[in-house]
Amino acid sequence: MIKFLDLHKINERFRNEIDLRIKKVLDSGWYLLGKEDETFENNFAKFCGVRHCIGCANGLDALNLIIKGYGFKDGDEIIVPANTYIASILAITMNGCIPVLVEPDIKTYNINPDLIEAAITPKTKAIMVVHLYGQAVQTEKIWDITNRYGLKIIEDSAQAHGAMYNGKKTGNLGDASGFSFYPGKNLGCLGDGGCITTNDDELAAKIRAIRNYGSNVKYHNIYKGINSRLDEIQAAVLDVKLKHLDADNMCRREISKYYKENIKNPEIILPETYSENAHVWHIFAVRTKDRDKLQNYLTENDIQTLIHYPTPPHKQECYKEWNNLSFPVTEEIHKTILSLPISPVMEDDEVKKVVEVINGY
Ligand SMILES: *Cc1c(COP(=O)(O)O)cnc(C)c1O
């Protein structure tokens, strides 16, 4: 069986270094927001090219903390792509804000910049861009809009660690950015983890406090905060793996290149990229008319695939109030999309086999 993602194999490569760093944490007697967190925050800020990185508990909280940091609430509107993972939307609704869904571009699967302006109202506060599947959103057009209307750009970078647009990395393409370090992400830890990056000094200071009960000085609470800290073990593991992120992303690019050059089946629509550095291929998503048939065929041929995602947020049971809304591009993507195996530990013969099997479909 060719696994969709072999997490054990991914982390096994760094076992010695990870073992040593975890032992160091255990020996230190300090387990939350300590030296490891500080070291990783500094290194990840440097990696993204931003002034601040603030560790937190997971990717959902990273977005949640940005919205809390800006003080958006009670009916404030945030524009967001309709075809994102549920977390982007939950971060908005959990703060009492309203997600205003906008259709993606069918070619990049990212928010269609040409449709954003029509979605702006006097209540709009921000545009949340999602670098979906690992491809950076072309933020230039969006900056033009946010500058004119005085809005913030919040990046959901959970799938795009290291992706670049116009020489800048995700995490540095908007006003503030949320990352997830869920084990399966391009940079993943051994549990849950996340962080916020920004160049905004004031926002960074506020988020730093809010993630830790709204407090900078113990037992002195300036904000109604939450508990969303990055623990020292996860920070240590992330610091080890960060050094290999660019190389891992290069492996993903090579596999995607091989897929794109060699999958030759008129039934399969391949993903498009606008530049080499823009995409870090968290997910290699193809589209086809009868997706379930293709998935079954691949399973029968020992190739594991996943669907990102089977149901769009506006059709989910938890958002009944939107179930009747219609987003045809989003729905078409959800109906036809299928994610092929891609990861830095895939062997050449596995990649070749995927291509051969698909070409025989
Ligand atoms: C993974 C993911 C998140 C949430 O991250 P968690 O760490 O699981 O909370 C948010 N947005 C997108 C697009 C994601 O893929």
Side-chain angles (χ1 to χ4, degrees):
M1 186 73 164
I2 299 177
K3 281 193 188 172
F4 180 76
L5 189 65
D6 189 337
L7 283 178
H8 178 264
K9 199 168 168 187
I10 282 181
N11 291 319
E12 189 60 28
R13 300 175 296 163
F14 317 122
R15 177 183 282 275
N16 290 343
E17 211 179 338
I18 287 174
D19 274 349
L20 281 172
R21 293 285 287 264
I22 290 180
K23 185 176 179 301
K24 213 171 117 195
V25 173
L26 184 58
D27 290 344
S28 78
W30 189 279
Y31 305 119
L32 280 169
L33 301 185
K35 282 203 187 88
E36 296 290 351
D37 184 49
E38 204 182 310
T39 304
F40 174 69
E41 285 182 356
N42 286 334
N43 287 337
F44 196 67
K46 218 177 284 166
F47 177 83
C48 296
V50 291
R51 279 214 294 281
H52 306 281
C53 169
I54 304 128
C56 67
N58 54 63
L60 171 63
D61 265 356
L63 300 171
N64 176 24
L65 282 161
I66 292 169
I67 293 170
K68 283 191 165 57
Y70 279 129
F72 300 150
K73 56 180 190 304
D74 304 337
D76 287 341
E77 293 177 1
I78 298 176
I79 291 170
V80 62
N83 64 320
T84 184
Y85 178 57
I86 197 79
S88 327
I89 311 285
L90 281 171
I92 297 172
T93 58
M94 71 198 281
N95 283 289
C97 299
I98 299 168
V100 176
L101 306 179
V102 167
E103 287 268 54
D105 174 345
I106 190 83
K107 287 202 171 134
T108 62
Y109 307 127
N110 279 334
I111 194 164
N112 185 340
D114 296 334
L115 303 178
I116 289 175
E117 206 161 347
I120 294 174
T121 77
K123 289 183 173 169
T124 309
K125 298 289 186 212
I127 299 166
M128 186 185 286
V129 298
V130 182
H131 308 297
L132 200 70
Y133 304 148
Q135 173 148 244
V137 172
Q138 292 166 289
T139 33
E140 215 155 69
K141 273 191 181 170
I142 300 174
W143 273 113
D144 176 55
I145 299 168
T146 51
N147 286 338
R148 270 189 288 125
Y149 287 87
L151 309 173
K152 301 291 182 193
I153 297 182
I154 299 171
E155 296 175 71
D156 180 340
S157 304
Q159 301 190 357
H161 320 70
M164 292 179 88
Y165 171 60
N166 271 359
K168 279 189 178 181
K169 288 216 175 88
T170 58
N172 189 20
L173 292 171
D175 291 287
S177 175
F179 286 89
S180 163
F181 303 123
Y182 178 80
K185 308 290 188 187
N186 285 27
L187 179 60
C189 55
L190 307 182
D192 274 316
C195 80
I196 296 101
T197 59
T198 183
N199 284 311
D200 182 334
D201 300 344
E202 203 181 314
L203 180 75
K206 206 169 160 191
I207 289 176
R208 217 167 258 292
I210 296 175
R211 75 165 168 182
N212 192 18
Y213 288 110
S215 145
N216 285 320
V217 177
K218 211 170 185 181
Y219 307 131
H220 181 76
N221 305 84
I222 21 180
Y223 309 107
K224 291 176 188 126
I226 61 174
N227 174 359
S228 184
R229 300 176 292 224
L230 183 63
D231 69 65
E232 288 285 278
I233 287 181
Q234 300 310 338
V237 171
L238 288 166
D239 200 53
V240 170
K241 291 182 72 179
L242 176 60
K243 287 179 273 191
H244 306 276
L245 178 58
D246 280 334
D248 276 5
N249 284 341
M250 276 316 290
C251 287
R252 289 173 181 272
R253 284 191 185 117
E254 270 161 35
I255 295 169
S256 76
K257 190 160 171 261
Y258 188 84
Y259 279 163
K260 289 214 280 185
E261 285 173 0
N262 294 285
I263 294 177
K264 292 195 167 81
N265 185 329
E267 296 292 316
I268 311 289
I269 302 167
L270 293 166
E272 290 184 26
T273 344
Y274 51 83
S275 86
E276 186 68 12
N277 291 330
H279 214 315
V280 291
W281 302 101
H282 174 58
I283 282 167
F284 190 95
V286 299
R287 286 196 299 118
T288 189
K289 234 185 265 140
D290 195 342
R291 184 259 319 279
D292 295 346
K293 189 175 142 211
L294 176 64
Q295 186 171 39
N296 288 336
Y297 166 80
L298 290 171
T299 309
E300 280 160 19
N301 284 281
D302 288 330
I303 295 167
Q304 188 190 11
T305 55
L306 294 178
I307 299 168
H308 299 93
Y309 299 90
T311 309
H314 72 280
K315 295 289 184 193
Q316 295 286 358
E317 214 175 316
C318 66
Y319 290 124
K320 271 199 198 74
E321 60 274 34
W322 307 328
N323 285 177
N324 290 326
L325 296 181
S326 162
F327 293 96
V329 179
T330 296
E331 287 155 33
E332 173 69 14
I333 291 170
H334 284 74
K335 243 184 278 168
T336 55
I337 206 112
L338 188 69
S339 310
L340 303 184
I342 190 162
S343 92
V345 295
M346 246 182 117
E347 308 288 344
D348 290 351
D349 58 330
E350 294 178 317
V351 180
K352 270 191 195 137
K353 186 183 164 190
V354 172
V355 169
E356 276 164 25
V357 170
I358 289 188
N359 285 342
Y361 172 63

